[in-house]
Amino acid sequence: MLSDNPIAGPEADRYGFGTHAKILCDAISAADDLPLTIGVFGPWGMGKSSFMKVCEGLLKAHDVRTVWFNPWKYDQKDEIWHALIQTVLAEIAHELEKRRQSGEETLRDRLTPALDTVRKLSRAAAWLLARRAAGPLTAGLLAPEDIDAVQTALTAPGMDTYLHVNRFEQDFRDVVDTYTDGGRLVLFIDDLDRCTPDAAITVLDSLKLFLGDGSCVFVLAMDHQIVAEAAAKRFDNEHTDGVRGRQYLEKLIHFPFHLPGVPFEALHRNLHDRVTALALTGSRELWELIEVAFAANPRRVRRFVNGLNHAALTLHQHSDAPGRERLLHAGTLLAFQIKHPDFFTALQNDPGVWARFDEAEFAKSELGGGDAELARNNPGARRLIAAVSSRRTGFDFPPPPTPAVIRLLTEVLTVSGGAAPDEVMTRGE
């Protein structure tokens, strides 16, 4: 089975992200006017997390301090801004403490005040959260007695806590300056487009409200359309104003970086030998099907290969090893299940749909009745039927399967294929 995890760093880059990542990292290292916010834009499944992991590795190799934050783990607005702040402060505290303990006395004397400030900032953030009646999440930075003290002092936080709430941005700037030795802190924020709309916008607002005065570079991975729609709903929950949503992002994002697509040749080179069915070894038709259905979307192609391998094993359990024709039919149905689930359901209910679409494409005629509506509701399905037609020159695709074969294969694929929940949520990309 192929993992859906992002690559670990530059040494695992199989898709050619390195060149673009180096250009971006050079720009991050050379930027003078901080803080700076960079948006890494790309549709679902195109490798934004992997690209940022390559960037993180390149920056660390040049001793640039980095922090990684995944906001989608947190559901509530209050919880998410607090988790962001505490994640950054916890990382800073951990590294400062290591350096303080391993350094000479003069270094310890210099770092101790910064550590004290980090802890006070953490208490201030926890107090703000506690004031909003939510449980403090301190990423291990605050001891239990500190949490109890914060909760006890809700009505009387004391002048020190008030001071650090009011001076949060300035104190954070000073801490970052000490932590980075006058350099910059790069904060990677991944998967904003997997958050609820409110949570995504809370993260963006938090960068401005709490961390917006430090020598930081914020690198945000997102599907631009999804987050812009989330921002638009903030202004008018009833009517999505796309213009206002885009304007919000334009004000926040100083440098938009649109992630280049992965060359399909790179996907083929790295995944062709992961197809386990021997009957499809070297099949041009299989990879033509994959390219037409999924273009160069690494996540979808990996999920397709996993689903096809599972289907092949399942078919083998019920009879002899499936042949090339049966597997190509299974692959086509799997592509429909992932990209056009409503069309897949229609095939389950009326297996003759495939042959009728194939015939209409060959005759260049209009579809009628329910088929016409099905085509309108599933743009791209007819193009995929045309791509795998046995009448297409230059390829050797089999004729449409019989209704009995379609029923068998859709039953098998109902267990092994299909779109993941987050893909269904973001299919509007």
Side-chain angles (χ1 to χ4, degrees):
M1 299 290 285
L2 296 171
S3 170
D4 198 28
N5 296 325
I7 61 179
E11 67 285 348
D13 179 19
R14 300 182 300 275
Y15 299 134
F17 289 136
T19 300
H20 300 288
K22 184 179 185 305
I23 294 171
L24 183 60
C25 289
D26 287 346
I28 288 173
S29 299
D32 292 326
D33 191 11
L34 301 178
L36 174 69
T37 305
I38 297 171
V40 177
F41 298 136
W44 181 92
M46 291 302 290
K48 297 185 296 295
S49 299
S50 293
F51 176 79
M52 293 208 307
K53 281 294 183 183
V54 173
C55 290
E56 181 188 39
L58 293 175
L59 291 169
K60 284 183 173 180
H62 290 85
D63 296 323
V64 177
R65 304 286 180 179
T66 68
V67 177
W68 193 280
F69 180 66
N70 288 97
W72 60 268
K73 296 178 181 179
Y74 308 92
D75 293 329
Q76 303 301 318
K77 289 193 298 182
D78 289 340
E79 184 182 74
I80 200 168
W81 68 256
H82 186 256
L84 168 63
I85 293 169
Q86 296 291 4
T87 296
V88 176
L89 293 176
E91 181 68 22
I92 291 176
H94 176 70
E95 290 299 321
L96 286 179
E97 182 62 32
K98 282 202 315 184
R99 288 156 60 185
R100 190 181 73 86
Q101 292 184 4
S102 62
E104 57 185 21
E105 185 174 353
T106 56
L107 181 63
R108 291 198 297 270
D109 291 343
R110 185 170 68 86
L111 295 182
T112 297
L115 266 169
D116 290 341
T117 301
V118 170
R119 294 189 177 103
K120 290 173 182 176
L121 289 173
S122 180
R123 292 189 186 100
W127 178 78
L128 285 172
L129 180 65
R131 290 281 294 177
R132 300 175 71 92
L137 302 173
T138 61
L141 185 55
L142 287 184
E145 59 268 22
D146 292 322
I147 297 174
D148 293 339
V150 167
Q151 292 175 322
T152 302
L154 284 180
T155 58
M159 290 301 297
D160 190 57
T161 301
Y162 275 130
L163 176 65
H164 285 285
V165 168
N166 293 329
R167 289 170 45 93
F168 199 101
E169 290 180 88
Q170 180 180 337
D171 287 343
F172 180 76
R173 179 193 63 200
D174 295 340
V175 164
V176 169
D177 188 63
T178 300
Y179 174 58
T180 62
D181 296 318
R184 66 210 55 220
L185 171 65
V186 181
L187 174 58
F188 291 96
I189 300 180
D190 195 15
D191 285 331
L192 265 180
D193 43 19
R194 291 180 64 180
C195 297
T196 63
D198 281 349
I201 301 308
T202 297
V203 171
L204 299 178
D205 285 344
S206 299
L207 299 181
K208 296 184 295 182
L209 291 174
F210 295 104
L211 312 181
D213 204 27
S215 294
C216 297
V217 179
F218 306 113
V219 185
L220 317 175
M222 67 181 88
D223 183 316
H224 184 278
Q225 178 181 340
I226 291 174
V227 179
E229 289 175 356
K233 288 180 181 178
R234 175 186 186 174
F235 300 110
D236 187 346
N237 198 42
E238 296 297 326
H239 305 92
T240 300
D241 185 345
V243 174
R244 295 193 71 180
R246 290 192 296 273
Q247 289 175 342
Y248 174 87
L249 284 184
E250 287 171 2
K251 291 179 180 178
L252 181 73
I253 304 296
H254 303 122
F255 179 72
F257 181 88
H258 294 272
L259 186 65
V262 175
F264 188 76
E265 293 76 12
L267 280 178
H268 177 267
R269 183 172 60 251
N270 287 282
L271 296 177
H272 75 277
D273 60 349
R274 306 303 292 271
V275 178
T276 57
L278 295 179
L280 292 176
T281 300
S283 171
R284 291 177 59 243
E285 286 72 26
L286 173 65
W287 287 94
E288 174 68 7
L289 161 64
I290 292 173
E291 184 172 14
V292 172
F294 308 113
N297 187 299
R299 180 173 294 150
R300 283 188 175 138
V301 174
R302 286 196 299 267
R303 290 185 175 182
F304 174 87
V305 171
N306 280 337
L308 183 61
N309 287 342
H310 189 277
L313 289 173
T314 303
L315 290 169
H316 196 182
Q317 292 296 316
H318 292 285
S319 61
D320 294 334
R324 173 183 172 279
E325 179 174 312
R326 182 64 53 88
L327 290 170
L328 286 174
H329 285 151
T332 302
L333 287 167
L334 177 59
F336 282 130
Q337 189 182 23
I338 295 173
K339 277 296 290 277
H340 307 289
D342 292 341
F343 192 85
F344 179 83
T345 300
L347 282 168
Q348 287 179 299
N349 297 328
D350 179 5
V353 165
W354 187 333
R356 293 197 299 273
F357 269 62
D358 182 69
E359 181 60 35
E361 185 62 29
F362 175 71
K364 301 303 178 186
S365 60
E366 295 296 325
L367 292 162
D371 287 349
E373 182 178 0
L374 183 62
R376 284 193 299 271
N377 293 338
N378 293 272
R382 183 166 176 172
R383 176 173 176 262
L384 184 54
I385 289 281
V388 301
S389 175
S390 61
R391 312 180 205 202
R392 183 181 174 190
T393 59
F395 291 92
D396 186 21
F397 284 102
T402 65
V405 170
I406 288 178
R407 291 190 182 95
L408 168 66
L409 294 179
T410 53
E411 182 178 345
V412 169
L413 292 171
T414 299
V415 176
S416 61
D422 56 349
E423 181 180 357
V424 172
M425 288 172 58
T426 59
R427 184 163 282 126
E429 68 192 40

